Amino acid sequence: MRGKLGEGSHWQDYKAVRLHESYYGAFYQENEALINYINHQPLADILTCLGDGHEGIWNIMSQLNPG
């Protein structure tokens, strides 16, 4: 989130997911809830992840079980 002029921005650990054009979810500082939500949805054989480049997203992706 952007701060006041000159303060810079602050990471808020907010994540959102969109699956198959019909399942949506957003999570604030709750990675486990995000992982559980995704793992309880019907997933395609190929799952594509878009992130901002932070390596933490791969920690989450490694916990997803599309099988």
Side-chain angles (χ1 to χ4, degrees):
M1 295 189 72
R2 279 195 184 149
K4 294 179 182 177
L5 185 61
E7 289 184 5
S9 58
H10 307 280
W11 178 251
Q12 295 295 312
D13 198 19
Y14 180 81
K15 296 175 184 74
V17 62
R18 180 178 181 206
L19 301 168
H20 311 302
E21 300 179 8
S22 60
Y23 299 99
Y24 300 87
F27 302 86
Y28 179 67
Q29 297 181 346
E30 294 183 12
N31 289 347
E32 287 299 317
L34 170 72
I35 292 163
N36 289 334
Y37 174 79
I38 293 171
N39 283 335
H40 285 89
Q41 305 305 320
L43 300 176
D45 291 335
I46 296 175
L47 185 64
T48 303
C49 173
L50 298 175
D52 63 0
H54 188 275
E55 64 185 40
I57 191 66
W58 303 116
N59 294 331
I60 292 172
M61 288 297 294
S62 71
Q63 296 179 61
L64 302 183
N65 184 10

